[in-house]
């Protein structure tokens, strides 16, 4: 089941990096796989139901406030809950810390490249997809670019690193 979790994390990371969103079907698939691993007693991280549900509740609740104030997307919040089902509460804090550091580096690098565009293409990659918004007269006008950090992707990468290097079992 460890390889199933890694594959799910890979899908989340690639999708979030490319689309800057995590779709519900992908979050639900990860949560269903985590629940199946628990039910079949094949949970790869030796956690029980209580630890898994506590991790899901803390993952969801911890990021919900950031979503409410507009700093986080809903997919990131739901992904954190599904991730909590997989890894439990004790692993969630170090994963959050590493994922947040990676997201902070992403933001800092983007802001630095905006001021000093040595690699303009890299700056556009860090920005992600741009969308055109329709104005009142029906013509398409580009929206002001906003930095959208693929936070779920960085959480997924931090989890994969924790799985590969952080655990010795």
């Amino acid at each position: 089941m460890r390889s199933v979790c890694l594959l799910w994390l890979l899908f989340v990371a690639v999708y979030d990096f490319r689309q800057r969103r995590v779709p519900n079907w992908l979050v639900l698939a990860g949560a269903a796989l985590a629940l199946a691993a628990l039910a079949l007693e094949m949970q790869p991280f030796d956690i029980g139901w209580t630890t898994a549900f506590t991790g899901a509740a803390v993952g969801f609740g911890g990021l919900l406030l950031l979503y409410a104030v507009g700093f986080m997307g809903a997919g990131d919040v739901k992904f954190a809950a599904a991730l909590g089902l997989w890894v439990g509460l004790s692993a969630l804090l170090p994963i959050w810390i590493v994922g947040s550091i990676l997201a902070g580096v992403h933001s800092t690098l983007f802001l630095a490249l905006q001021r000093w565009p040595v690699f303009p293409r890299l700056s556009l990659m860090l920005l992600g997809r741009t969308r055109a918004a329709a104005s009142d007269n029906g013509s398409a006008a580009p929206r002001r670019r906003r930095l959208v950090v693929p936070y779920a992707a960085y959480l997924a990468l931090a989890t994969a690193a924790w799985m590969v290097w952080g655990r010795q079992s």
Side-chain angles (χ1 to χ4, degrees), residues 102-114:
L102 292 172
V105 168
H106 177 113
S107 298
T108 304
L109 185 58
F110 173 76
L111 292 173
L113 287 172
Q114 287 294 91

Side-chain angles (χ1 to χ4, degrees), residues 65-145:
L65 179 63
L66 294 172
Y67 168 73
V69 296
F71 292 145
M72 183 91 31
D76 298 327
V77 177
K78 292 179 275 189
F79 172 73
L83 184 61
L85 280 174
W86 275 105
V87 301
L89 182 59
S90 63
L92 209 50
L93 182 62
I95 289 169
W96 263 348
I97 291 170
V98 172
S100 296
I101 289 170
L102 292 172
V105 168
H106 177 113
S107 298
T108 304
L109 185 58
F110 173 76
L111 292 173
L113 287 172
Q114 287 294 91
R115 292 178 182 249
W116 185 53
V118 176
F119 303 106
R121 188 171 170 116
L122 178 59
S123 179
L124 289 175
M125 281 177 35
L126 291 171
L127 177 65
R129 286 188 123 162
T130 58
R131 297 180 184 163
S135 64
D136 291 339
N137 62 6
S139 65
R143 272 180 30 188
R144 184 175 165 210
R145 289 185 178 183

Side-chain angles (χ1 to χ4, degrees), residues 12 39 62-63 90 93 99 108 110 145-146 149 151 156 163 166:
V12 168
L63 295 183
S90 63
L93 182 62
T108 304
F110 173 76
R145 289 185 178 183
R146 193 182 103 177
V149 177
Y151 190 67
M163 288 173 65

Side-chain angles (χ1 to χ4, degrees), residues 20-31:
R20 293 299 199 264
R21 59 184 290 274
V22 181
N24 288 336
W25 66 266
L26 194 52
V27 173
L28 290 173

